[in-house]
Amino acid sequence: MPGPRAAAPIAGKRPKSGAGKPISRHAVLAAFCAAVLLGASTQACAIDPDTPLADLSTQAWVLENGLPQNTVQVLAQTPDGFLWVGTEAGLARFDGSGFQVFDRNSSPALPASDIHCLLASADSSLWIGTSQGLARLKDGAVTVLTTRDGLPSNDIRALRLDDRGQVIVSTAAGEAGIEGVRVVPVIYDMLSTPDSASNVVFTSSLPDGRTAQATRSTVTVIQHGELRFNVGKQLPGTRIQALLGDREGSLWIGTNGGLARLVGDKLQLFPPTDSLSALSVLALLEDREGDLWIGTEAEGLHILRNRRFFTFGAREGLSSDATTTVVEDRTGTLWVGTSGSGLNAVPLRKGAAGADVFPSRAEIRNYSVKNGLVSNVILSLAAAPNGDLWVGTPDGLNRIRSGRVDTFTSADGLPDDFIRSLLVDSDGSLWVGTRHGLAHWIDRPGVQPQIKIYTQANGLGSDLVGAMTRDAQGDLWVATLAGLSRLHSGSIANFTTANGLSSNVVTALLPRRDGSLLIGTENRGLDLWAGDKFSPVTNSAPDSAAIHAILDDGHGHLWFATGNGIARCDYKNAAGDAGNLCTHWAEFGTADGLRSRQMATNSHPSAWQTRDGQLWFAAPRGLVEVDPAHFQLNTLPPPVVLERFAVDDVDQPLHSASPGLRIAAGHVHFQFDYAGLSYVAPQKIRYRYMLQGFDRSWTYAGSRRSAYYTNIPPGDYTFRVEAANNDGLWNDAGATLSFNLQRHFYQTLWFYALLLAILIAGIFLLLRRRLRLAEREFRAVLGERSRIAREIHDTLAQGYVGVSVQLELLAELLRMRKLDDAQKQLNATREVVREGLADARQSIWALRTQDSAEETLPVKLGRLVEQARNDELATKLSIRGVYRPLPSAIERELLRIAQEAIHNVKKHAAASELSVRMEYAEDTILLEVQDNGRGGAVPHPHGFGAGHFGVTGMKERAESIGGTLEIESAPSQGTTIRLRASVLAQAPEHAGDTK
C-alpha cells in the first residue's frame, strides 16, 4: 500500500485569469507543488468512504499553535514520519506536538522563506523549492543549488521524479535534472515531452484503475466513460486548487470555496455548518496512517480522521447531554434516560451502509413529569417483549404502554421507590432492584399482579441491589453491595471474595453463550464465572478501573464502560481459562474522540447493543455510539526519532557520520528529546527508554517526551527509545543514539598505571632508605664495637697485662724475701694500676655523647703529651696553621690515633724524646708522632708484636675518616707515624657531625 500521497500536478505556464490579471498566487503555487509516493508500508486504514463527511473528526493548527504562517501552500511527509508544511514565511516540521521552523534565518538556513514546492525522496532527503533557489535537507544539513550551479532560474515552480527516479526541477525559465547534488540537463523523447498547451493541472490515479484529471474548472474521472464535475455547479468555489486520490478510492477535490469528496460516482460536500465547506484549499496529503491533511489559504493546517466514537446530546436533539441509561425496544426505538431532563425516544433509521443513523431533532420524542413520569431523573430502563417500557426513577416505577404512563411506588407493594435496576424476564415478569431489596413483579393478563420481595432477611446477600442478568442456564444473578446472589430453582446462593470474587462490590454483569458469566467489579477489574468457580481475568483492565458495563460485539471483542473511559479487548472462547480470556487491551478517551472519559454509573443498563450491532454508552456528556464493524485500529507502529540530544544544555549533532559521539569529560547533565510520529492521536503515544550501559531495564515514560540523566560515569552508552501508537502497538526498533563519555585524565588506565608505578617506586625508595639507615646503624654499631675493642686493647688490656707482670715480679721477690726490692716493685705496680685507671677514664670519656665546648683537639692533644712526660721521656707538642673545629668524629679518631702512637712510644720504643705535631692546612690536616727510640722494628700486622692490635686500630681509624697512615722506622733512628686526612672529602656518615 502506498505511503503518503499528494496531488500530482502537470508542469506548465502560470495560468491567467480575467483580463490578463494573474489568478491567486497561492493557487498557482499549489498547482505546481508535488510530493512523491513513498515506498510500500504496512497496511493502514484510510478514511472510511462510508462515513459521512460531517462525521469525520477534524483538528486545525494555525499561527498561534506554532505555524510560521496561516497560508499553507504545500505538504509532504518524509520516510522518517515527519510532516513538512510549506508556507510563505518558512518551512515547518511537525511531529504531532509542535513545529520546528526552517527559513532563511534559521540554522540550517534555506535560500528563501517562501516555499513553493516539496519533494520527499526515498533516501530521506527533502527537496525544497523556494523563490530564491533549490535546497536539499538531509541529515540536518542543507545544500543549496541556484543559477550559479546551473539551474535555469532560482524561481522554483515544481519538483517531480521521472521514471528513472531522477529529480526534475521546473523553474520559471525551464527544467533541469538533479544527479546527487549536481545540476544536469533534462533529455526528453517525443512521448515524454511535456505539452505546454495542455490545460490539465492535476492528475491522480485511483486504486480501482480509474484516472482523475483536473483543470482549473473541471474534474474528469475516466474509466469506461467519463464523470465530469465543474466548479460553480457541482463543485464549490470558482477554481480547483488541489486533487488527491486516497488509498480507499475516494477522490478529494480542493477548491477556493471548500473541499469535496467523490466516492464512486457520488459527489459529497461538507454541510454548510462545517468550516471545511468554505475554506480555500491549497494542498492535500494522505499520510502513512491514512489521515488526510489539508493546507488552506488563510486558515492554517487541518486534518481529517476517521471518528471512532459519535456522541449525541442536546445539540443533536436529546433533552440533555447528561445521559444515564439506554435500551432498545422491539420496534427499534432507542430509549435514552437522562439525569434531570426525562426520557428520550430516538427512532433509529438505517443509513446507506446499513448502520444506524441518528434521527433529526424533530423525530426525537421527550417524556418528562409533564407526560406523567414520576421524576425527570431516570435511573434504569427495561423493554418488554409486549412493547411495554419500564422506567425506574428515584421516586418510583413508571410503565409506558401505548403512549400511556402508569406509576407504581412502595404503596403498590414495592420495597422502595428508588429503582436502581430493571430486568424483564423471558415470561414477561419484571425484576425490580431497589435500595431495600429485590422485587419480582408478576403481571399476567387476567391475573391480579403479584409482587414477591427478596431481602437480606430471606437470603439475599444485601438489600442494596444493582445489576441483574439471566445466564444461559436460566439462573438469575443479582449484584448487591455484598457480592453476588444467584437465584436457582427458588433458592438463593451468595458469593463473595471468600468464594473467589475480586471484590464484593459488583457493578456489571454479562452472560455468555457458553454458560460462563463475566463480572465487572469496583476498582478490581474483571472476573469470570466458569460454572464452578470465580477467576480473575488477568489480562483485563487495570485494577484501579471500575467497570460499569460490559458488551460483546459479536466480532471477537469485549467492550467496557470503565472509570477511565471506554475500553476494548480481544477475547478467546477458552472455557474456564480466565487468564487468556482477554488480549490486546485498549483504552479510549478524549484523544480518541470522546467528549469525556467519565461514563454513567449507578444506572442499569448504562450500555446497550442494538440489533444491528451498534454499541451505545450512556455518559454524562452525551450518548456515545460505536460501530464495531467499522472500528479501525491503528496497525502501524509509530516511527521514533530523536529530536535533540543536549549535554549541559548544549545541543549535540544527531546526524554525525561517525558511529558515535565523543563527549568530553566533566559533563554531568544529559537530555534526550524524542518523538513518536503518529498523527492519529498524538496525545496517546506512549514511550519507554533505556540508556544501555547504565540502565538495567526499560523506563516507562508514559507520554513524556524527554529523558534526563545526571552524573553518569565515563564509558560507552547507547540511548534507546521506543514508542507505542494510540492503540498500544509498539515500535520495537525505535531510535538509538550511541556516544562515549570520556574520562578525566585521573580516570584513565595510564593514570592508574602511573599511580601504581609511583607507589611501587615510593615503596622501593622507602625500603631502600630504611635499608640504608639500617646499614648505617649497623656500621655505626660495628664501628663502636671496633672502637671499644681498640680501647680495651689499647688501655685496659695492656694495663691488665702490665699489672699481671708486675704482680708476678712482686710475688717472686716476696718468695725470695727481698723486701726492699719488693717495695720498689709494689710502687711500680701501683704506677701501672694508676695508668690503667687513667686509660679506663679516657675510654669512658670517649663514650660520652658530647664534650665540653672548651676542650678543643689541641687541648686534648696537649693533655696526652703532658701525661706521657716523665723523667725518662721528654715530650713536645707543636700546632701549626689556623685552628678550626672539625667534626667531633674526626677529632675523636685523630685523638685516638695520637693516643695509640704515644702509648706505643712509651711501651715499646725506649725513647728519650717524643714529638707530636699537628698542622691545619686549607683542606687537609696532618698528625705526626715522632720518637728517637730504638726504631727498626717491623710492625706486626696487628701491632708492634704478636698479640698487639695497635697499628691495625690506627689504620682502621684513619680509614674511617678518609685518611692515610704512614709508618717510617729505621734501626736506632726512631719511628715516625704520620696521618694525612682531607677535611673536604670526609665519609658521608661524618658529614655534618658536630658532636
Side-chain angles (χ1 to χ4, degrees):
M1 181 65 67
R5 305 179 62 155
I10 302 296
K13 296 182 179 180
R14 184 186 295 249
K16 303 290 183 178
S17 176
K21 181 180 178 180
I23 66 170
S24 168
R25 180 170 179 265
H26 312 303
V28 173
L29 295 177
F32 288 110
C33 294
V36 66
L37 297 181
L38 300 181
S41 62
T42 306
Q43 174 70 40
C45 295
I47 293 179
D48 189 350
D50 292 333
T51 302
L53 293 178
D55 291 340
L56 295 176
S57 173
T58 64
Q59 188 177 356
W61 294 264
V62 292
L63 186 65
E64 290 74 16
N65 304 118
L67 272 179
Q69 191 191 45
N70 285 340
T71 300
V72 176
Q73 304 182 133
V74 61
L75 299 167
Q77 187 177 27
T78 45
D80 56 14
F82 281 115
L83 182 75
W84 298 86
V85 184
T87 74
E88 290 180 326
L91 176 67
R93 189 186 74 179
F94 187 48
D95 62 7
S97 176
F99 296 90
Q100 181 180 359
V101 177
F102 299 84
D103 56 26
R104 63 184 306 166
N105 298 315
S106 64
S107 180
L110 301 180
S113 298
D114 189 0
I115 310 302
H116 287 184
C117 46
L118 298 172
L119 176 65
S121 60
D123 65 351
S124 296
S125 298
L126 180 68
W127 293 92
I128 308 161
T130 76
S131 59
Q132 297 296 324
L134 177 67
R136 184 186 74 161
L137 178 60
K138 180 176 174 60
D139 294 335
V142 170
T143 303
V144 177
L145 299 175
T146 63
T147 53
R148 290 177 298 180
D149 303 289
L151 286 178
S153 169
N154 288 336
D155 187 2
I156 310 300
R157 300 291 185 85
L159 294 167
R160 72 178 190 276
L161 292 177
D162 64 11
D163 294 338
R164 298 174 299 165
Q166 185 182 49
V167 177
I168 304 299
V169 185
S170 296
T171 74
E175 291 190 332
I178 304 294
E179 289 184 357
V181 289
R182 187 169 57 92
V183 179
V184 297
V186 179
I187 300 175
Y188 299 103
D189 56 33
M190 294 192 61
L191 294 178
S192 61
T193 301
D195 181 6
S196 61
S198 173
N199 291 320
V200 175
V201 180
F202 299 102
T203 63
S204 180
S205 297
L206 300 175
D208 57 7
R210 293 177 298 161
T211 300
Q213 296 181 345
T215 66
R216 285 298 170 184
S217 59
T218 303
V219 172
T220 303
V221 180
I222 304 172
Q223 183 190 42
H224 311 302
E226 292 186 357
L227 285 175
R228 186 181 298 270
F229 302 93
N230 298 301
V231 295
K233 295 183 180 179
Q234 300 91 345
L235 296 174
T238 60
R239 185 174 58 255
I240 297 173
Q241 301 180 150
L243 189 72
L244 173 70
D246 69 20
R247 66 194 62 170
E248 289 293 332
S250 298
L251 183 67
W252 297 87
I253 307 163
T255 76
N256 64 345
L259 181 65
R261 177 175 67 172
L262 179 64
V263 179
D265 59 355
K266 303 296 183 182
L267 187 67
Q268 302 173 357
L269 302 180
F270 283 87
T273 56
D274 196 299
S275 61
L276 289 174
S277 66
L279 293 182
S280 178
V281 177
L282 300 181
L284 295 171
L285 173 74
E286 183 184 36
D287 67 18
R288 61 188 295 271
E289 295 173 301
D291 301 321
L292 182 69
W293 294 88
I294 304 162
T296 70
E297 186 170 0
E299 300 297 330
L301 179 67
H302 293 249
I303 187 173
L304 277 179
R305 305 185 182 104
N306 285 310
R307 182 177 293 178
R308 292 175 162 183
F309 302 96
F310 300 90
T311 304
F312 305 95
R315 186 175 59 183
E316 288 76 23
L318 295 180
S319 58
S320 170
D321 287 340
T323 60
T324 55
T325 179
V326 58
V327 71
E328 182 188 27
D329 67 13
R330 66 178 184 177
T331 66
T333 297
L334 195 68
W335 294 87
V336 183
T338 69
S339 178
S341 298
L343 181 66
N344 298 272
V346 182
L348 299 177
R349 50 187 171 84
K350 302 300 178 184
D356 290 330
V357 176
F358 208 78
S360 65
R361 178 185 297 270
E363 298 176 275
I364 299 175
R365 291 172 293 159
N366 177 251
Y367 290 83
S368 66
V369 293
K370 295 179 180 180
N371 307 97
L373 292 182
V374 69
S375 172
N376 284 332
V377 177
I378 311 301
L379 298 179
S380 55
L381 294 171
N386 63 358
D388 290 348
L389 181 74
W390 294 93
V391 183
T393 76
D395 300 316
L397 178 66
N398 288 119
R399 180 181 63 193
I400 301 177
R401 174 180 292 176
S402 301
R404 176 183 172 183
V405 179
D406 297 317
T407 300
F408 306 94
T409 65
S410 56
D412 300 292
L414 294 176
D416 185 27
D417 290 338
F418 196 93
I419 313 300
R420 300 188 71 245
S421 57
L422 296 168
L423 175 68
V424 176
D425 220 333
S426 57
D427 60 0
S429 61
L430 179 68
W431 294 87
V432 183
T434 74
R435 295 177 303 180
H436 294 96
L438 174 67
H440 189 195
W441 179 299
I442 304 173
D443 184 10
R444 296 187 180 91
V447 179
Q448 183 69 25
Q450 299 178 0
I451 299 178
K452 185 175 182 180
I453 305 299
Y454 298 86
T455 65
Q456 192 171 0
N458 56 5
L460 199 64
S462 169
D463 288 346
L464 185 61
V465 176
M468 296 182 291
T469 191
R470 283 275 186 190
D471 65 15
Q473 288 77 24
D475 293 340
L476 179 68
W477 292 85
V478 181
T480 73
L481 194 60
L484 271 177
S485 296
R486 183 182 65 182
L487 277 69
H488 175 74
S489 300
S491 63
I492 300 177
N494 294 309
F495 305 93
T496 64
T497 53
N499 306 101
L501 279 176
S502 299
S503 170
N504 285 337
V505 181
V506 175
T507 53
L509 298 170
L510 177 68
R512 306 181 72 212
R513 295 187 183 92
D514 60 4
S516 62
L517 179 69
L518 287 173
I519 303 111
T521 66
E522 179 77 20
N523 302 327
R524 287 294 183 270
L526 186 66
D527 288 340
L528 175 68
W529 166 259
D532 55 352
K533 65 177 181 179
F534 296 94
S535 303
V537 178
T538 54
N539 290 329
S540 68
D543 289 344
S544 60
I547 298 177
H548 306 309
I550 311 172
L551 296 176
D552 185 340
D553 65 9
H555 298 281
H557 309 109
L558 294 175
W559 294 80
F560 307 87
T562 77
N564 293 326
I566 293 177
R568 191 188 88 157
C569 77
D570 301 341
Y571 72 80
K572 297 180 179 179
N573 287 313
D577 188 4
N580 294 319
L581 176 68
C582 274
T583 59
H584 301 108
W585 183 272
E587 294 183 276
F588 310 105
T590 54
D592 302 284
L594 294 178
R595 293 181 183 175
S596 170
R597 296 170 67 96
Q598 186 178 359
M599 294 289 109
T601 60
N602 301 322
S603 296
H604 303 281
S606 60
W608 192 266
Q609 181 179 16
T610 55
R611 285 187 288 271
D612 61 358
Q614 300 293 100
L615 307 182
W616 300 83
F617 295 88
R621 295 192 60 185
L623 183 67
V624 179
E625 179 196 19
V626 181
D627 183 1
H630 296 86
F631 192 86
Q632 298 177 345
L633 288 181
N634 188 353
T635 59
L636 287 177
V640 187
V641 295
L642 279 167
E643 295 188 305
R644 182 173 183 252
F645 173 41
V647 179
D648 288 339
D649 293 327
V650 177
D651 289 351
Q652 304 297 314
L654 292 175
H655 302 283
S656 175
S658 60
L661 298 174
R662 297 174 68 86
I663 308 300
H667 295 289
V668 295
H669 299 290
F670 301 84
Q671 178 178 344
F672 304 87
D673 294 341
Y674 44 80
L677 301 180
S678 172
Y679 304 100
V680 175
Q683 312 93 311
K684 293 190 65 177
I685 296 178
R686 296 296 179 263
Y687 300 94
R688 61 190 179 197
Y689 62 81
M690 173 194 296
L691 185 60
Q692 291 180 334
F694 183 79
D695 291 330
R696 295 185 178 181
S697 60
W698 290 98
T699 297
Y700 287 85
S703 60
R704 182 163 50 88
R705 297 176 32 154
S706 294
Y708 303 92
Y709 288 88
T710 303
N711 293 324
I712 61 176
D716 293 316
Y717 298 97
T718 298
F719 180 76
R720 292 188 59 195
V721 58
E722 298 177 357
N725 67 12
N726 57 306
D727 287 327
L729 181 62
W730 286 93
N731 180 346
D732 295 329
T736 62
L737 174 69
S738 298
F739 66 96
N740 172 265
L741 178 59
Q742 296 181 304
R743 303 174 184 274
H744 289 283
F745 73 93
Y746 53 79
Q747 296 174 315
T748 57
L749 291 178
W750 65 263
F751 181 79
Y752 292 137
L754 179 61
L755 284 182
L756 181 61
I758 293 174
L759 179 61
I760 293 174
I763 294 174
F764 173 76
L765 292 176
L766 179 62
L767 292 176
R768 182 179 178 183
R769 182 174 182 276
R770 290 180 61 86
L771 181 60
R772 293 185 64 182
L773 288 175
E775 289 177 350
R776 289 178 61 181
E777 292 176 358
F778 178 74
R779 286 197 300 268
V781 172
L782 184 61
E784 189 64 16
R785 290 182 61 188
S786 299
R787 187 191 68 79
I788 293 173
R790 291 192 297 269
E791 295 291 344
I792 292 173
H793 167 265
D794 295 340
T795 58
L796 297 179
Q798 292 179 3
Y800 289 156
V801 170
V803 170
S804 177
V805 172
Q806 295 297 329
L807 289 176
E808 288 178 358
L809 291 175
L810 178 61
E812 184 64 24
L813 291 173
L814 290 175
R815 188 181 63 77
M816 296 175 59
R817 297 183 181 277
K818 296 180 179 181
L819 298 178
D820 293 337
D821 294 337
Q823 182 65 37
K824 293 180 180 178
Q825 185 62 40
L826 180 59
N827 292 335
T829 301
R830 289 173 179 166
E831 183 64 24
V832 172
V833 172
R834 282 195 295 270
E835 292 178 355
L837 288 174
D839 290 339
R841 291 190 187 99
Q842 184 66 25
S843 296
I844 294 172
W845 168 76
L847 288 173
R848 293 174 182 172
T849 58
Q850 56 182 342
D851 299 317
S852 172
E854 298 179 356
E855 292 187 349
T856 63
L857 181 59
V859 173
K860 294 176 182 178
L861 282 176
R863 186 183 296 115
L864 288 176
V865 173
E866 182 67 24
Q867 291 175 353
R869 181 185 297 119
N870 55 37
D871 295 338
E872 290 83 17
L873 182 65
T875 62
K876 182 178 66 173
L877 173 64
S878 176
I879 304 294
R880 297 181 181 181
V882 179
Y883 166 76
R884 60 183 180 275
L886 299 175
S888 60
I890 296 177
E891 290 188 350
R892 184 171 58 247
E893 298 303 325
L894 289 172
L895 187 64
R896 287 289 173 255
I897 292 172
Q899 181 182 5
E900 180 65 22
I902 293 172
H903 177 76
N904 287 336
V905 171
K906 291 175 61 177
K907 297 298 182 182
H908 308 293
S912 60
E913 295 180 358
L914 171 64
S915 175
V916 177
R917 181 169 64 95
M918 176 169 283
E919 183 177 340
Y920 287 93
E922 182 178 357
D923 56 356
T924 60
I925 189 167
L926 172 67
L927 175 64
E928 184 180 86
V929 180
Q930 186 177 13
D931 67 74
N932 63 351
R934 64 171 63 96
V938 179
H940 189 275
H942 302 295
F944 282 88
H948 297 279
F949 297 91
V951 174
T952 300
M954 287 190 291
K955 287 184 176 181
E956 289 178 354
R957 292 180 188 276
E959 291 175 356
S960 69
I961 61 175
T964 59
L965 187 69
E966 300 174 359
I967 300 177
E968 298 177 358
S969 182
S972 303
Q973 300 293 324
T975 301
T976 300
I977 298 176
R978 190 176 293 109
L979 170 65
R980 295 180 186 274
S982 175
V983 178
L984 301 179
Q986 300 303 322
E989 58 267 27
H990 299 296
D993 191 352
T994 59
K995 291 183 181 180

